[in-house]
């Protein structure tokens, strides 16, 4: 195999493998155990509505204002326990509604 081709394959593999790790790089370790956290996608029906008490999720769950953290990327993120769907942490953009 030519050295240029081998180098290209190695760079592409490193980039592909680093993607998931980089996507979770800002989540606090106390909150996110590998794949517990994700960005909420409105196009998939994962809507968030601001209420007087906090944020109401598309499935009816409520995240109180005292439990929400500020999202560094101006998007909503949810970290939940995979089996029980208990909310571990929730990130909301500043001034979000």
């Amino acid at each position: 195999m030519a050295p240029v081709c081998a180098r290209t394959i190695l760079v592409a593999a490193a980039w592909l493998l680093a993607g998931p790790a980089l996507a979770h790089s800002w989540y606090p370790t106390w909150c996110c155990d590998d794949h517990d956290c994700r960005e909420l996608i409105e196009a998939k029906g994962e809507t968030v509505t601001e209420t007087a008490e906090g944020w109401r999720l598309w499935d009816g769950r409520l995240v109180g204002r005292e439990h929400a953290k500020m999202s560094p990327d101006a998007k909503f993120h949810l970290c939940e326990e995979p089996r029980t769907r208990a909310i571990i942490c929730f990130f909301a953009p500043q001034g979000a509604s």
Side-chain angles (χ1 to χ4, degrees):
M1 184 180 298
V4 173
C5 185
R7 187 175 317 138
T8 302
I9 291 171
L10 287 174
V11 169
W15 180 77
L16 288 171
L17 293 173
L22 292 175
H24 286 79
S25 64
W26 64 262
Y27 293 127
T29 54
W30 58 264
C31 170
C32 182
D33 182 20
D34 193 24
H35 297 290
D36 298 340
C37 297
R38 62 189 170 81
E39 176 186 333
L40 298 181
I41 310 294
E42 190 172 356
K44 291 183 178 181
E46 298 175 334
T47 57
V48 178
T49 305
E50 188 172 14
T51 69
E53 298 84 23
W55 287 268
R56 176 82 50 196
L57 304 183
W58 70 98
D59 60 5
R61 293 182 288 174
L62 179 70
V63 179
R65 292 187 182 282
E66 68 277 9
H67 298 293
K69 312 287 183 245
M70 191 169 74
S71 173
D73 69 355
K75 298 176 183 174
F76 288 102
H77 294 262
L78 177 67
C79 307
E80 59 187 346
E81 205 283 326
R83 286 178 290 127
T84 65
R85 296 185 57 230
I87 296 172
I88 301 168
C89 47
F90 176 77
F91 299 89
Q94 186 174 4
S97 58

